[in-house]
Amino acid sequence: MNSKNIAVVIGLMGLCVSQAFAEDTMGTMTMMKGGQVTAIMPDGHMGTMTPDAKMGAEMMKMAKPIKHCMMLMTDAKGKTYMIDTSTKKAQAECEKMAM
């Protein structure tokens, strides 16, 4: 009986320690790597890829630089929306969030 209790306690301690060291990625974003392409679908799921040089050159012909901070939001049903950040107030809020 004692060995079972010790095993349970050790198992619970291991679970707690693993949760404490688990990486919390909720609410954090990372910068894209050079040449990386990110696709965002209307339902909010995303995918990334790093195309080869030829495909990357073709995609760059269609690409336009981002001139200001952009915000996306997903509603309760899972549909993704782009928020208009063209005003100074919206830009400041966007930049504050991105920092």
Side-chain angles (χ1 to χ4, degrees):
M1 187 72 173
N2 252 352
S3 62
K4 286 183 182 180
N5 288 344
I6 291 172
V8 168
V9 169
I10 290 173
L12 288 173
M13 286 175 53
L15 182 63
C16 292
V17 169
S18 68
Q19 291 296 319
F21 288 113
E23 183 180 354
D24 179 29
T25 58
M26 233 16 210
T28 61
M29 298 282 293
T30 59
M31 290 181 58
M32 292 174 62
K33 297 172 182 71
Q36 183 178 11
V37 177
T38 300
I40 303 169
M41 295 297 291
D43 67 357
H45 78 269
M46 301 186 328
T48 60
M49 70 177 277
T50 305
D52 60 20
K54 183 180 177 187
M55 186 178 191
E58 288 296 315
M59 288 180 155
M60 281 304 289
K61 290 177 185 175
M62 299 182 290
K64 295 177 184 167
I66 296 174
K67 296 182 178 167
H68 54 79
C69 187
M70 295 173 60
M71 293 170 63
L72 301 173
M73 181 177 183
T74 305
D75 68 4
K77 294 179 181 177
K79 188 168 182 175
T80 303
Y81 297 86
M82 191 162 103
I83 299 170
D84 180 15
T85 56
S86 60
T87 65
K88 293 255 185 217
K89 183 179 178 183
Q91 275 295 304
E93 196 65 34
C94 184
E95 290 169 5
K96 185 171 99 176
M97 187 188 308
M99 293 298 161

